[in-house]
Amino acid sequence: MQSQMDDLNTSLDNMQKNQAELAVKVEDLSKNLNSSSESMKDISGQMDRLTSRLDEIDVSMNKRVNAIGQTIRKQQEQEAALLPAKIYNDAYNAFLNNNFDGSATGFKAYLSKFPGGENAEGAYFYLGESLYLKERWQESALAYANVLEKFPKSARVPAARLKYAMALLKLPEDKKAEALKYLQSVVK
């Protein structure tokens, strides 16, 4: 019995030692957990600051992108405003350089994109001139007719009447009477 008591005492001592070791380990784990918790709080604070900074950068970038977009829109509007004049001037320069195919193409492009543009009257007239000089009588007459119809108060009307009549004279016989009528209106 004594030996059983001694065994029980030894077991009890071992259990107490184990309990003491476990208590130390639990205390170490608690300290580590508290330390980790503090680190997590620090990391969370850093994440909040980074998030705030990223938000600031995002706002700044959006402002810059919007400013660039507005600048691009303004440039496109300016280019679009220059486009009709450029198309017309290129076609007119082709006409002046006796490039009648190029001028006809340019004036047609101008009129298809800007039928009511400020140079539409001139575009129709010089289209007629270009086509007349290429001996494309029907198309030429149509271009001059557009000047007469769409711009009746134009200073180019007398020249357009004459050229219209001349183009009609180049067409089959059934247009001769109309051509004579326009020729007579020019003489008046």
Side-chain angles (χ1 to χ4, degrees):
M1 179 111 126
Q2 183 65 34
S3 97
Q4 287 178 343
M5 283 296 272
D6 286 339
D7 286 342
L8 282 175
N9 279 336
T10 304
S11 289
L12 184 60
D13 285 341
N14 285 338
M15 288 174 79
Q16 287 174 343
K17 284 180 190 176
N18 285 340
Q19 184 181 4
E21 287 174 7
L22 285 174
V24 169
K25 287 182 181 180
V26 166
E27 189 176 323
D28 286 345
L29 283 174
S30 178
K31 286 179 185 177
N32 285 341
L33 185 59
N34 286 337
S35 175
S36 294
S37 178
E38 290 298 318
S39 293
M40 290 299 286
K41 286 180 185 175
D42 289 345
I43 290 171
S44 178
Q46 289 174 354
M47 292 294 288
D48 289 343
R49 286 189 296 276
L50 285 174
T51 300
S52 175
R53 181 66 182 133
L54 285 173
D55 289 344
E56 291 171 9
I57 291 171
D58 185 47
V59 167
S60 175
M61 291 301 289
N62 283 338
K63 286 179 182 177
R64 288 180 185 168
V65 167
N66 287 338
I68 290 169
Q70 289 174 350
T71 301
I72 290 171
R73 274 191 294 283
K74 285 179 185 175
Q75 287 174 344
Q76 288 172 338
E77 289 169 3
Q78 289 170 349
E79 288 173 7
L82 294 177
L83 185 62
K86 180 172 179 8
I87 293 172
Y88 180 86
N89 289 335
D90 288 350
Y92 186 70
N93 286 330
F95 177 81
L96 293 177
N97 290 314
N98 298 323
N99 177 1
F100 304 119
D101 286 327
S103 66
T105 300
F107 289 125
K108 284 179 182 177
Y110 177 87
L111 291 166
S112 72
K113 291 181 181 179
F114 313 102
E118 68 180 66
N119 292 316
E121 172 197 343
Y124 279 116
F125 183 80
Y126 286 109
L127 174 60
E129 294 284 273
S130 299
L131 295 169
Y132 186 87
L133 292 166
K134 291 300 290 179
E135 299 181 3
R136 291 163 60 185
W137 317 119
Q138 183 77 31
E139 293 173 83
S140 173
L142 182 60
Y144 292 125
N146 276 311
V147 173
L148 298 173
E149 179 185 322
K150 295 179 181 189
F151 307 98
K153 299 198 184 298
S154 167
R156 290 190 175 110
V157 166
R161 284 179 180 276
L162 176 64
K163 292 294 188 128
Y164 179 69
M166 291 171 60
L168 289 179
L169 287 172
K170 302 285 186 174
L171 294 175
E173 287 297 319
D174 63 332
K175 298 291 183 181
K176 301 290 188 223
E178 187 179 354
L180 287 174
K181 179 181 103 176
Y182 274 92
L183 284 173
Q184 289 171 348
S185 73
V186 172
V187 175
K188 289 182 184 180

